[in-house]
Amino acid sequence: MILQKLSLLNYKNFEAESFDFDPKINCFVGNNGVGKTNILDAIYHLSFGKSYFNPITTQNIKHDEDFFVVEGFYEKNDSSEKIVVSAKRGQKKIIKRNGKAYDKFSDHIGFLPLVIISPADRDLIIEGSDTRRKFIDGVISQRDSEYLHTLIKYNKVLAQRNSLLKYFAANNTFSQDTIDIYNEQMHAYGTSIFGKRIAFVEEFLPIFLNRYKSISSGEESINLVYQSQLQENDLSTLLQKNIIKDKISQYTNFGIHKDDLVFEIDGHPIKKFGSQGQQKSYLIALKLAQFDFIKNHSKTNPILLLDDIFDKLDEMRVEHLISLVDNENFGQLFISDTHAERTEDVIKKVHQTYKMFPLSS
Ligand SMILES: Nc1ncnc2c1ncn2[C@@H]1O[C@H](COP(=O)(O)OP(=O)(O)OP(=O)(O)O)[C@@H](O)[C@H]1O
Ligand SMILES: [Mg+2]
């Protein structure tokens, strides 16, 4: 799969801009704040219908403008695909494929597989469990759209159950029969998601360990552990057993919305005990394993976005990453860096076509 052309209209700091891309390597270079990451984010938008960096749609519209349009022209499996994402203040965002708007955004996820490696990935280590759940969900959804649909349904029932608990508390009332209806639905959706997350981690772990080994020189042992309350009991039982707690907190305390992925180094949390370098290696291995995983499950090579490569990586790792384009029949690579020269020096070492895009404000 190749992104051939990208057009931006009122997207973040860009008023109107177009880029024709190289099928292999493309580099956006320029000073801080010129919009390098914004271009990568626009490409991310075309795959996921949202920003990787700023989830608030209207904040992706250029200041003082009313709308944005991001257009991408792709070649996929020998046919042309035009994807357009547009957003207008006060209206719902629209994604179109070849002129036809999707009814459900979730139907688009996975169509243009993509992996981003960015300094913002450190959130996966330092932030709360929802960041790591989003990571798992993102990887599984790119190859299993049924998973995403089930997750959306689960979240809807969860929100309804929480509202019901609040309603009961506010009106000093309770109905076991009504709660049971929600418990049943949460159990069905939650159990399906739980099963798919277990299967995912089982398949993902060896790929991840392999990637970590290839980019780190250390002897440390690392691990990735899936944690879920459903490992102790089935969801229906958990919900029934803990109804008193739920009534008091007016919130559903048990379910797959509490799952986590624990990142470990030598048996301890990497957040507290990993060195900076080990944390970086861990995150890159995680993302490259995501790449391998998606590639194993889809016929197309995912697009790879490397944001701010030298900020996050030393030269050795950058070379390793870029050399992947040579070694593994990679798809297309988009890179951002502040220094044109050092990026070009590294890229020249792999004998692939490339294009530099110098940006200025
Ligand atoms: N909605 C918006 N409207 C206008 N400008 C915006 C909007 N959102 C972000 N920007 C601008 O985009 C610029 C940042 O762009 P970006 O993060 O892509 O820079 P960069 O080239 O990646 O910089 P760095 O080298 O520091 O990573 C900032 O100047 C910011 O003010
Ligand atoms: Mg940037």
Side-chain angles (χ1 to χ4, degrees):
M1 182 181 75
I2 305 290
L3 173 57
Q4 295 167 316
K5 188 182 161 147
L6 174 76
S7 298
L8 309 177
L9 207 58
N10 297 330
Y11 187 76
K12 297 194 184 177
N13 65 320
F14 294 100
E15 190 182 322
E17 206 74 51
S18 267
F19 306 91
D20 287 302
F21 292 128
D22 184 273
K24 278 292 170 185
I25 307 177
N26 297 278
C27 306
F28 306 103
V29 289
N31 292 338
N32 296 132
V34 291
K36 304 179 294 293
T37 302
N38 292 346
I39 299 171
L40 299 184
D41 202 26
I43 299 172
Y44 185 93
H45 236 112
L46 291 169
S47 283
F48 293 94
K50 62 181 182 195
S51 160
Y52 184 67
F53 300 92
N54 190 341
I56 301 166
T57 300
T58 51
Q59 294 182 1
N60 295 308
I61 301 175
K62 192 170 189 295
H63 299 318
D64 305 323
E65 296 292 343
D66 225 24
F67 67 93
F68 78 67
V69 182
V70 178
E71 266 182 352
F73 296 84
Y74 293 81
E75 194 206 293
K76 191 188 169 191
N77 305 334
D78 294 326
S79 60
S80 304
E81 301 281 351
K82 181 183 173 190
I83 306 296
V84 181
V85 180
S86 58
K88 196 165 189 251
R89 290 187 203 276
Q91 290 184 13
K92 265 181 79 178
K93 191 153 43 179
I94 299 169
I95 307 181
K96 285 184 181 168
R97 178 179 160 205
N98 300 327
K100 190 174 178 305
Y102 281 95
D103 291 334
K104 286 185 290 190
F105 276 24
S106 50
D107 290 340
H108 180 62
I109 308 302
F111 181 65
L112 304 171
L114 177 147
V115 173
I116 181 166
I117 300 182
S118 156
D121 296 340
R122 68 179 176 279
D123 287 357
L124 280 168
I125 289 180
I126 60 179
E127 294 291 325
S129 60
D130 60 323
T131 325
R132 289 177 290 281
R133 280 193 302 276
K134 269 189 202 135
F135 171 75
I136 313 185
D137 294 339
V139 188
I140 304 177
S141 310
Q142 284 200 68
R143 76 126 201 254
D144 179 355
S145 58
E146 196 48 48
Y147 176 86
L148 187 54
H149 292 141
T150 312
L151 189 64
I152 291 167
K153 287 188 223 157
Y154 177 91
N155 286 330
K156 210 165 147 188
V157 181
L158 172 65
Q160 288 168 344
R161 190 179 188 273
N162 286 340
S163 303
L164 189 67
L165 289 164
K166 285 202 180 68
Y167 171 85
F168 286 157
N171 295 282
N172 211 5
T173 173
F174 184 73
S175 157
Q176 186 64 48
D177 288 347
T178 317
I179 275 287
D180 282 345
I181 295 169
Y182 290 94
N183 288 4
E184 227 170 83
Q185 292 182 38
M186 275 187 68
H187 174 80
Y189 298 139
T191 306
S192 155
I193 292 162
F194 174 60
K196 287 184 174 183
R197 285 181 179 169
I198 290 181
F200 161 70
V201 175
E202 239 174 52
E203 187 184 339
F204 187 77
L205 185 62
I207 304 174
F208 167 65
L209 295 177
N210 197 25
R211 278 295 185 189
Y212 187 87
K213 215 160 74 190
S214 76
I215 51 173
S216 93
S217 43
E219 294 293 303
E220 65 275 7
S221 77
I222 54 148
N223 203 1
L224 179 83
V225 184
Y226 175 49
Q227 269 183 359
S228 176
Q229 294 159 333
L230 275 70
Q231 283 153 342
E232 281 141 45
N233 228 323
D234 68 84
L235 185 50
S236 174
T237 311
L238 288 171
L239 291 169
Q240 279 168 29
K241 262 177 51 181
N242 293 286
I243 186 62
I244 308 235
K245 189 173 178 189
D246 284 359
K247 276 165 81 174
I248 293 167
S249 54
Q250 300 171 39
Y251 167 78
T252 305
N253 290 282
F254 287 78
I256 51 101
H257 57 289
K258 293 288 187 177
D259 286 1
D260 202 353
L261 265 187
V262 185
F263 298 163
E264 288 180 349
I265 186 149
D266 293 329
H268 302 286
I270 195 163
K271 178 177 173 180
K272 296 213 172 83
F273 299 98
S275 74
Q276 298 274 336
Q278 287 166 337
Q279 293 191 0
K280 276 185 191 175
S281 297
Y282 197 98
L283 290 171
I284 297 158
L286 212 53
K287 289 304 188 83
L288 288 177
Q290 177 185 7
F291 188 98
D292 297 337
F293 183 84
I294 295 169
K295 196 178 155 169
N296 290 345
H297 287 277
S298 76
K299 284 175 224 89
T300 45
N301 281 320
I303 285 177
L304 184 61
L305 309 179
L306 295 178
D307 185 26
D308 235 337
I309 38 171
F310 280 96
D311 167 276
K312 194 156 174 53
L313 311 169
D314 52 40
E315 194 161 329
M316 221 179 70
R317 287 205 193 89
V318 172
E319 277 184 31
H320 174 83
L321 275 183
I322 294 178
S323 68
L324 295 175
V325 184
D326 255 354
N327 300 340
E328 302 181 31
N329 194 13
F330 246 68
Q332 199 179 14
L333 192 59
F334 294 87
I335 297 172
S336 82
D337 185 34
T338 40
H339 295 77
E341 217 172 283
R342 69 174 171 191
T343 305
E344 201 164 358
D345 284 348
V346 178
I347 288 169
K348 275 182 184 154
K349 291 186 187 168
V350 301
H351 301 281
Q352 295 284 354
T353 54
Y354 68 92
K355 215 163 167 179
M356 305 292 291
F357 296 88
L359 302 169
S360 53
S361 41

mmCIF file of all heavy atoms in Angstrom, residues 36-37 307-308 336, ligand 2:
data_model
loop_
_atom_site.group_PDB
_atom_site.id
_atom_site.type_symbol
_atom_site.label_atom_id
_atom_site.label_comp_id
_atom_site.label_asym_id
_atom_site.label_seq_id
_atom_site.Cartn_x
_atom_site.Cartn_y
_atom_site.Cartn_z
ATOM 1 N N LYS A 36 5.913 19.496 11.068
ATOM 2 C CA LYS A 36 6.327 18.148 10.632
ATOM 3 C C LYS A 36 5.410 17.078 11.232
ATOM 4 O O LYS A 36 4.884 16.213 10.524
ATOM 5 C CB LYS A 36 7.780 17.875 11.061
ATOM 6 C CG LYS A 36 8.779 18.901 10.573
ATOM 7 C CD LYS A 36 10.186 18.587 11.042
ATOM 8 C CE LYS A 36 10.396 18.687 12.548
ATOM 9 N NZ LYS A 36 10.277 20.070 13.083
ATOM 10 N N THR A 37 5.239 17.162 12.540
ATOM 11 C CA THR A 37 4.388 16.173 13.212
ATOM 12 C C THR A 37 2.941 16.301 12.740
ATOM 13 O O THR A 37 2.234 15.298 12.613
ATOM 14 C CB THR A 37 4.480 16.360 14.746
ATOM 15 O OG1 THR A 37 5.853 16.216 15.130
ATOM 16 C CG2 THR A 37 3.645 15.339 15.491
ATOM 17 N N ASP A 307 8.074 9.647 14.006
ATOM 18 C CA ASP A 307 8.066 11.061 14.371
ATOM 19 C C ASP A 307 9.307 11.397 15.193
ATOM 20 O O ASP A 307 9.595 10.699 16.168
ATOM 21 C CB ASP A 307 6.790 11.359 15.173
ATOM 22 C CG ASP A 307 6.657 12.832 15.482
ATOM 23 O OD1 ASP A 307 7.211 13.656 14.718
ATOM 24 O OD2 ASP A 307 5.997 13.163 16.478
ATOM 25 N N ASP A 308 10.009 12.435 14.794
ATOM 26 C CA ASP A 308 11.122 12.938 15.592
ATOM 27 C C ASP A 308 12.142 11.853 15.900
ATOM 28 O O ASP A 308 12.501 11.644 17.060
ATOM 29 C CB ASP A 308 10.542 13.434 16.935
ATOM 30 C CG ASP A 308 10.939 14.858 17.194
ATOM 31 O OD1 ASP A 308 11.942 15.286 16.626
ATOM 32 O OD2 ASP A 308 10.245 15.519 17.969
ATOM 33 N N SER A 336 10.048 12.325 10.432
ATOM 34 C CA SER A 336 10.231 13.755 10.690
ATOM 35 C C SER A 336 11.469 13.973 11.537
ATOM 36 O O SER A 336 11.785 13.173 12.416
ATOM 37 C CB SER A 336 8.998 14.348 11.384
ATOM 38 O OG SER A 336 9.039 14.104 12.765
HETATM 39 MG MG MG B 2 7.211 17.276 16.015
#
